[in-house]
C-alpha cells in the first residue's frame, strides 16, 4: 500500500503551500490578527503589562520636570511648588531621585513579567495551531488523506508555523510600541501641547521622507524567507539523499547548487542589513536636526524653561524610532498573515474529512466467526471506474487467505476495506455479524495488525520499536513475540533488545527488519494480521524464515496476505483473485 502518503518529507520545503489569497475575499492583516488572538486570555495581560511598563517610563520623565525646575536658578515656579510641598530643594531632589529609582525597579519587574507573557501568548497560539493540524490529520478519513500531498502537511507544520511564529512576534511588538508611543505623546502633551504638536507635524514629515526607503527594505526582507527555505530544503535533501547522490555521482552538483543558494541568501541578507543601518543612520540625523528645531521653537517662541524642554525632548526623540520599528514589525506581520489564513483553510479542509468518532471505552472486536463483505463498491474521487465493484465474500476466523491479482487491480483497496481503513460507498463489511459503520470501523482497527514490504521502523532500539505497539508489554511478552516472528537474531545483536537499529532499521538486513515488524504486529495479539507483499523484497532464505513464522501462526489468528504469488499460496486455506476491481474465489 505504498500509494498512501508516500511523498518524501524532504520535498515539503520545496513546495511551500503559498496559496496566494484572493484579494477580493482575503481578510486584511488586522482582521486576521484579531481572529488569531481571539479567545487567548494572555492578550489582556500583555496589553495591561505594556501599559504599566510605558507608564513607569512616562511618570519617570514627568518627575524630571519639577526636579530640573527646582535646580534651575531663579525660576519662580519651582519655589512655588516647593512651598506647596513644604520641602527644601535638597529634600525634593532626594525624593525625586528615590522615586525615579523605584520606578526603574518597578519597570524591570514589569518587563520581566511582560516578556514571559508575550512568549506564552506566542507559544499558545502557535502550539495551538500545531496541535490542531496534527490532531485533525490523525482523525482524517484515509481515502481523503490518500488524495492529499503529505508534503503540504509537513510544510504547514514546519515552515509555515515558523513564519507565523515570527509574524506573531512582530505583531505583539507593534502592540507594545503603540502603547509606548501613546504614553510618550501624552507626556509631551502634558509638558507643552504646542511643542508636542509641532513635533507630531515634523514626525509626519520624517515618516513621509523615509517611506519609500522603508518600502524597499521591507521588500528585501520578504525575499529572505523563500531564499532561506530554499537553502533549508537543499540542505535537507542533500542529507537524506546522500546515498542517491553518491550513486548518481551528483555530489559536486548538489554542493554547487547549495553554494549558489547560500550566496543568493547571503547577498540579500547583507544588502538588507546595510540598508537598515543606512536608513537608521539617516533617520537619526534628521531626527537630531528636528530636535534642535524643536528646542529653538520651545525656548525662543514659547519661552519654555530648560527644565521642561529636556524631558519633552526625551519623550519626543524616543517616538521617532518607535514609529519606524512599529512600521517594520507591522510589515512582517502583514507578510505572515496570508500564511495564517492558508493554515486555517487547511485545518478546515482536514476537519471536513474527519472520520466518525469511536467511544474511547468501546471494547475490542474479537473476530470469532468471520468477516463478510456484501455488495461492496468503492470509488476514488476523480476516477471513472470503481476500484472495487460488487464484492461479496467471506473470510473465516483463524484461516489464512491469499489475495492475488495484477498490480492496480484493487488488492490494497480490498485490504483497506477489510481492515476498516476505508468505508465502502455501497454495500457493507461485517465482523462477526456486526456491520462496520461509524465508530465501529475505528474500534475494529485496534484488532488489526499490518506488515508491508517496507517494514516501517523507528530510528530507536529494538525494544522501543516493539513497545511503540504495546507500551506496557513485559520483557517476556517481547521475547514471545520475537520468537513467534522467528526473530531470534535479536539474541545475537550487540546490545540485544537495546540495540539501536538506525534510520528505518538500516543496521538490520531486509529479512531482520521484516521479522522485527512482524514481531511488533504480533505483540498486540491482533485478531487479523494483514501482510501486504510482506516478503516480496526478500531473498529466498529470508522468505523461508518468514514463511516458517507465518506457517506457525496458521490457525491461531486470521491472516490475510496480499501477494503476487509464491510460497504463501501453497499454504493458504483460500485464494481470492481480484482483477479490474472484481473478485473471484480461486480456492
Ligand atoms: P493494487 O493493490 O492491486 O495494486 P490498488 O487497490 O492500490 O491496487 O488500486 C486499485 C485502483 O485504484 C488503481 O486503479 C489505482 O490507481 C486506484 N487508486 C488506488 N488508490 C487511489 C487513490 N488514493 N486515489 C485514486 N485512485 C486510487
Amino acid at each position: 500500500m505504498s500509494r498512501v502518503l508516500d511523498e518524501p518529507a524532504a520535498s515539503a520545503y520545496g513546495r511551500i503551500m503559498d496559496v496566494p489569497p484572493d484579494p477580493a475575499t482575503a481578510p486584511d492583516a488586522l482582521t486576521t490578527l484579531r481572529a488569531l488572538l481571539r479567545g487567548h486570555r494572555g492578550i489582556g495581560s500583555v496589553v495591561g503589562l505594556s501599559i504599566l511598563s510605558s507608564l513607569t517610563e512616562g511618570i519617570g520623565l514627568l518627575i524630571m520636570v519639577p526636579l530640573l525646575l527646582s535646580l534651575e536658578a531663579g525660576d519662580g515656579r519651582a519655589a512655588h511648588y516647593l512651598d506647596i510641598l513644604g520641602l527644601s530643594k535638597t529634600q525634593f531632589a532626594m525624593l525625586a531621585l528615590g522615586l525615579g529609582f523605584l520606578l526603574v525597579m518597578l519597570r524591570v519587574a514589569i518587563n520581566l513579567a511582560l516578556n514571559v507573557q508575550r512568549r506564552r501568548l506566542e507559544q499558545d497560539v502557535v502550539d495551538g495551531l500545531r496541535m490542531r493540524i496534527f490532531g485533525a490529520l490523525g482523525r482524517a478519513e484515509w481515502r481523503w488523506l490518500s488524495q492529499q500531498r503529505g508534503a503540504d502537511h509537513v510544510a504547514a507544520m514546519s515552515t509555515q508555523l515558523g513564519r507565523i511564529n515570527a509574524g506573531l512576534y512582530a505583531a505583539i511588538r507593534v502592540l507594545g510600541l503603540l502603547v509606548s508611543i501613546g504614553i510618550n505623546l501624552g507626556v509631551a502633551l502634558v509638558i507643552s501641547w504646542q511643542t508636542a504638536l509641532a513635533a507630531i507635524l515634523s514626525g509626519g514629515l520624517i515618516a513621509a521622507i523615509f517611506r519609500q526607503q522603508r518600502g524597499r527594505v521591507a521588500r528585501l526582507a520578504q525575499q529572505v524567507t523563500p531564499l532561506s527555505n530554499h537553502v533549508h530544503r537543499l540542505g535537507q535533501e542533500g542529507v537524506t539523499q546522500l546515498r542517491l547522490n553518491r550513486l548518481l555521482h551528483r555530489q559536486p552538483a548538489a554542493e554547487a547548487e547549495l553554494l549558489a543558494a547560500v550566496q543568493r541568501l547571503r547577498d540579500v541578507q547583507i544588502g538588507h542589513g546595510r540598508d537598515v543601518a543606512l536608513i537608521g543612520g539617516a533617520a537619526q540625523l534628521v531626527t537630531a536636526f528636528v530636535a534642535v528645531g524643536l528646542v529653538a521653537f520651545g525656548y525662543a517662541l514659547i519661552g519654555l524653561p530648560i527644565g521642561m524642554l529636556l524631558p519633552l525632548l526625551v519623550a519626543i526623540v524616543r517616538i521617532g524610532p518607535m514609529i519606524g520599528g512599529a512600521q517594520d514589525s507591522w510589515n512582517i506581520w502583514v507578510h505572515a498573515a496570508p500564511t495564517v489564513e492558508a493554515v486555517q483553510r487547511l485545518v478546515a479542509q482536514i476537519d471536513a474529512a474527519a472520520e466518525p468518532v469511536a467511544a474511547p471505552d468501546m471494547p475490542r472486536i474479537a473476530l470469532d466467526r468471520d468477516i463478510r463483505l456484501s455488495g461492496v463498491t468503492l470509488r476514488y474521487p476523480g476516477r471513472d471506474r470503481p476500484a472495487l465493484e460488487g464484492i461479496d465474500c467471506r473470510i473465516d476466523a483463524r484461516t489464512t487467505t491469499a489475495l492475488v491479482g495484477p498490480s492496480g487491480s484493487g488488492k490494497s483497496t480490498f485490504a483497506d476495506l477489510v481492515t476498516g481503513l476505508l468505508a465502502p460507498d455501497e454495500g457493507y463489511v461485517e465482523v462477526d455479524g456486526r456491520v462496520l459503520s461509524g465508530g465501529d470501523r475505528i474500534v475494529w482497527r485496534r484488532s488489526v495488525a499490518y506488515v508491508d514490504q517496507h517494514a516501517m521502523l523507528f530510528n530507536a532500539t529494538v525494544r522501543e520499536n516493539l513497545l511503540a505497539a504495546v507500551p506496557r508489554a513485559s520483557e517476556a511478552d517481547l521475547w514471545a513475540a520475537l520468537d513467534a516472528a522467528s526473530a531470534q537474531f535479536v539474541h545475537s545483536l550487540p546490545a540485544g533488545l537495546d540495540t539501536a537499529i538506525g534510520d528505518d532499521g538500516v543496521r538490520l538486513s531486509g529479512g531482520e527488519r521484516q521479522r522485527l515488524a512482524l514481531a511488533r504486529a504480533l505483540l498486540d495479539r491482533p485478531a487479523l494480521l494483514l501482510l501486504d507483499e510482506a516478503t516480496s523484497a526478500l531473498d529466498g532464505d529470508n522468505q523461508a524464515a518468514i514463511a516458517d513464522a507465518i506457517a506457525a501462526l496458521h490457525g491461531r489468528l486470521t491472516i490475510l496476505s496480499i501477494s503476487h504469488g509464491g510460497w504463501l499460496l501453497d499454504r493458504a486455506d483460500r485464494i481470492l483473485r481480484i482483477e479490474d476491481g472484481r473478485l473471484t474465489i480461486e480456492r
Side-chain angles (χ1 to χ4, degrees), residues 1 3-4 142-148 378-383 385-388 405-416 532-533 562 564 578 581:
M1 278 189 276
R3 67 213 154 87
V4 178
W142 203 249
R143 192 174 344 178
W144 179 85
L145 271 178
S146 68
Q147 305 284 320
Q148 306 302 307
L378 185 136
R379 285 180 194 80
Y380 286 107
R383 296 289 171 121
R385 294 187 41 220
L388 286 178
S407 178
S409 57
K411 301 183 298 297
S412 298
T413 307
F414 179 90
D416 287 352
D532 187 355
E533 311 273 5
I562 302 179
H564 286 308
I578 300 191

Side-chain angles (χ1 to χ4, degrees), residues 479-502:
W479 285 115
L482 287 166
D483 281 347
S486 294
Q488 290 85 356
F489 71 90
V490 173
H491 286 288
S492 51
L493 288 175
L497 277 173
D498 296 307
T499 309
I501 60 168

Side-chain angles (χ1 to χ4, degrees), residues 126 130 345:
V126 174
R130 193 187 308 278
R345 269 201 306 276

Side-chain angles (χ1 to χ4, degrees), residues 10 71 86 91 128 141 185 195 199 229 280 283 290 303 313 318-319 344 365 392 415 431 436 444 446 453 469 486 574:
L71 298 175
Q91 280 173 328
E141 192 64 69
L185 263 183
T195 323
N229 285 341
V290 170
L313 261 187
R318 266 189 196 158
I319 293 175
Q344 282 171 339
I365 302 175
D392 292 296
V431 176
L436 293 187
W444 165 235
R446 292 190 206 139
Q453 56 186 329
S486 294
R574 301 190 81 194

Side-chain angles (χ1 to χ4, degrees), residues 153-193:
H153 305 145
V154 176
M157 294 200 43
S158 53
T159 333
Q160 295 189 314
L161 279 188
R163 198 180 298 174
I164 293 174
N165 206 343
L168 198 58
Y169 175 84
I172 295 176
R173 198 173 112 81
V174 173
L175 201 76
L177 285 170
L178 288 182
V179 170
S180 255
I181 291 170
I183 300 250
N184 276 285
L185 263 183
V187 169
L189 284 168
V190 167
I191 299 177
S192 159
W193 67 266

